[in-house]
Amino acid sequence: MKQTSSTRAVWTAVSAAVLCLAAPLTVSPTASASAEAPSLNWTRCEGSGLHPRQQCASVEVPMDYADPDGRKIDVVVSRIPGEKPSARRGALLLIPGGPGGSSLNDPSGKGQKLPQEVRDSYDLIGFAPRGLAPSTSVSCGLEHGDLALSKLRPWPAADGSVTGNMTTARRVADACARNGGELIRHISTVDEARDIDRIRAALGEGRLSAWGVSYGTYVGAVYSQLFPQRTDRVVLDSNDDPDPVRVSRAWVAAYETGVEDTFPEFARWASAPGNPDRVAATAAEVRPLFLRLAARLDRAPIPWPGANPEELNGNVLRQAMLDSFYTPSRFPALAKLMLAARNGTVPPAPAAQPDAVLQNVTAVSAATICNDVAWPRSAAAYSGGVAESRRKHPLTAGMPRNAMVCAAWPYPPEQAPVRITSSGPSGILLVQNAHDVATPLSGARKLREAFGARAVMVTVDSTGHGSYLANGNACGDRTVSRFLATGERPDRDIHCPKGPSRRGSYV
């Protein structure tokens, strides 16, 4: 679930479970808001490459909202003020993906891609969610090997066994309980939504507009459900299934669909004449080639010094497939790896973030997905689903239904997941690519259905994770920009075809 795509690659670590949902959680609009007046001390942001007008500040929030007068933590926020005070409408919060992503630098980054009329109208606001540095941070102190993407994702053994995954889950959960402190028990989507309302209040805004991406769509949906009268114009981009029973387990399960939706796009590219990284003569040959390579690497991994793990095995190749499918610009990396593996060699080891960063992000991710919903505790609860998934979706080899750290998480969820409903203002616009490995169209349709008349959805015929201002699709970009700038929204769902089309067809 998927925010940069690399962030999504680490932080969605989930599988399958059963939960009897309690009554939907509701919060009064002012329940988590402090004084409705500006209370921030803006200073220069740390870091390089930032817009000269970007400023940073800290918002103090309760660590535990059940004990609002207890220990406080800091959530760091950033701001670039609107460029035309006479046209100012309010604040546009950039909600990051993950869990474990930050939007602190986004006002200087993707915020500057917004059209001028949007930048004129809004202060652009980013933040580092609770637990994520430079906000009050957490770490699980994991072993280096447990930070590997192919370990954080629940890839089963080559024979489909989940025994090793259960062992990893217990080891990682024990480390988080031992090293994560009290804060790790209070990192969840609902906590983030309540923090957002504290940010809104500290900004002195009666209502908040938002642009949430990937996991940020779920955060935005939960905020819109808990604080409907505090929302203004909300754009949700690359949308997570809001299933109130499975929550993040449904997101990783969706990789079965996302990979199947995206692989044909990769196969066409990887078999195109003239492609210097061409792996096969026809698109039909690419899938069996990939499956043969993965199976061969399961049996005989290739040493890969400097990588984590230090071998190219079948699951590392499968993980590389997921990573590359986040954007077509990464297709060459997968093709090069396949070509090297076919020749019994490896490319240079991929660059990785420092372990300290991965420790922090992984801790926030694990805490969020495990505190949001309860998971099954036994291997038997996963093995059947993994076996079925391997039969039906061999590309993902059972990973989407396997056990993760939450199978051994020591803390029960403190509240039931929020059920997204059609109750509230009709000010939500969903935008979604047709081919998205991390948040497939099928899940986006479930969020659209849950919102009912509150939302309209724009489906863009593009490939990759991230739609608005990411694909050069004039129809999709124009529709979202017009909504943010003027509030004008299509009166029903639309479909935007490939290319620089300026009009969408109604569906």
Side-chain angles (χ1 to χ4, degrees):
M1 324 127 135
K2 108 167 172 45
Q3 152 165 0
T4 63
S5 52
S6 61
T7 307
R8 180 73 175 208
V10 178
W11 329 150
T12 35
V14 256
S15 175
V18 177
L19 174 71
C20 294
L21 184 67
L25 177 67
T26 58
V27 178
S28 64
T30 59
S32 76
S34 54
E36 302 291 319
S39 58
L40 297 178
N41 180 27
W42 295 104
T43 61
R44 183 180 179 86
C45 295
E46 296 183 3
S48 59
L50 300 176
H51 193 284
R53 297 177 67 237
Q54 180 169 309
Q55 303 168 307
C56 286
S58 291
V59 177
E60 189 177 75
V61 302
M63 182 182 71
D64 181 359
Y65 277 97
D67 181 19
D69 297 323
R71 179 185 163 190
K72 301 299 192 295
I73 60 172
D74 290 327
V75 173
V76 177
V77 299
S78 60
R79 176 185 70 171
I80 294 180
E83 298 179 23
K84 189 176 182 181
S86 63
R88 187 182 186 279
R89 178 176 181 83
L92 177 66
L93 182 71
L94 309 177
I95 308 178
S102 171
S103 64
L104 200 61
N105 293 341
D106 283 356
S108 294
K110 72 176 188 178
Q112 297 307 301
K113 297 180 181 179
L114 289 162
Q116 187 66 51
E117 59 266 31
V118 176
R119 289 183 283 119
D120 284 346
S121 301
Y122 296 97
D123 297 345
L124 304 181
I125 308 296
F127 70 109
R130 62 167 52 210
L132 195 70
S135 298
T136 304
S137 63
V138 295
S139 172
C140 290
L142 302 181
E143 299 173 9
H144 175 72
D146 285 336
L147 295 172
L149 290 179
S150 56
K151 183 67 71 69
L152 292 170
R153 290 286 178 82
W155 297 104
D159 64 357
S161 170
V162 305
T163 301
N165 302 101
M166 294 298 293
T167 299
T168 299
R170 287 189 290 270
R171 184 173 61 249
V172 172
D174 287 348
C176 289
R178 184 171 60 250
N179 302 316
E182 182 68 15
L183 176 56
I184 207 161
R185 304 182 64 172
H186 302 289
I187 296 174
S188 71
T189 300
V190 170
D191 287 314
E192 184 169 334
R194 287 169 165 158
D195 290 346
I196 287 173
D197 206 53
R198 292 284 178 128
I199 292 171
R200 175 202 58 76
L203 293 170
E205 301 290 340
R207 294 192 298 169
L208 196 62
S209 292
W211 173 17
V213 180
S214 193
Y215 166 69
T217 65
Y218 182 63
V219 175
V222 169
Y223 182 78
S224 298
Q225 187 70 37
L226 298 183
F227 304 97
Q229 303 308 319
R230 299 299 192 191
T231 62
D232 190 13
R233 298 168 184 169
V234 177
V235 172
L236 303 180
D237 177 351
S238 305
N239 297 274
D240 274 318
D241 181 350
D243 184 336
V245 175
R246 297 188 300 161
V247 193
S248 49
R249 293 186 295 109
W251 308 339
V252 168
Y255 276 114
E256 292 176 345
T257 302
V259 166
E260 296 292 352
D261 287 349
T262 306
F263 200 94
E265 303 299 310
F266 170 73
R268 280 191 284 273
W269 173 90
S271 59
N275 182 348
D277 299 311
R278 192 182 192 192
V279 302
T282 67
E285 297 174 78
V286 178
R287 183 186 180 102
L289 171 62
F290 179 87
L291 292 172
R292 287 196 304 271
L293 284 173
R296 191 177 84 186
L297 291 169
D298 282 337
R299 297 188 300 269
I302 302 172
W304 202 357
N308 187 15
E310 290 198 331
E311 66 176 26
L312 175 57
N313 58 41
N315 284 341
V316 170
L317 181 66
R318 296 179 185 104
Q319 180 61 52
M321 173 190 65
L322 290 189
D323 295 343
S324 72
F325 282 5
Y326 276 83
T327 170
S329 66
R330 293 187 183 179
F331 285 177
L334 177 59
K336 286 180 168 63
L337 188 59
M338 292 174 63
L339 292 169
R342 189 163 60 183
N343 295 328
T345 62
V346 292
Q353 291 181 304
D355 273 12
V357 174
L358 293 178
Q359 292 280 9
N360 183 204
V361 174
T362 302
V364 173
S365 172
T368 304
I369 64 174
C370 298
N371 291 333
D372 270 1
V373 68
W375 288 49
R377 311 289 291 184
S378 69
Y382 300 99
S383 58
V386 167
E388 181 182 22
S389 182
R390 287 167 67 86
R391 289 193 302 271
K392 293 182 175 179
H393 306 283
L395 288 169
T396 46
M399 179 276 290
R401 303 193 208 180
N402 200 6
M404 281 305 296
V405 59
C406 304
W409 196 249
Y411 311 116
E414 295 185 346
Q415 62 259 318
V418 173
R419 184 184 295 275
I420 305 304
T421 73
S422 60
S423 177
S426 179
I428 298 171
L429 181 67
L430 279 57
V431 60
Q432 177 72 35
N433 286 342
H435 311 285
D436 184 330
V437 69
T439 56
L441 179 59
S442 55
R445 285 173 172 156
K446 292 178 181 177
L447 181 59
R448 170 68 184 87
E449 180 181 5
F451 272 129
R454 295 189 68 188
V456 169
M457 188 162 82
V458 180
T459 302
V460 178
D461 190 5
S462 294
T463 299
H465 186 56
S467 184
Y468 179 46
L469 303 180
N471 304 307
N473 186 284
C475 164
D477 291 350
R478 183 181 300 273
T479 302
V480 178
S481 294
R482 182 168 54 240
F483 171 66
L484 287 174
T486 70
E488 181 183 344
R489 197 182 66 166
D491 58 8
R492 58 187 184 273
D493 297 350
I494 68 169
H495 177 268
C496 290
K498 287 187 178 185
S501 171
R502 303 177 74 89
R503 296 180 60 189
S505 58
Y506 287 99
V507 295

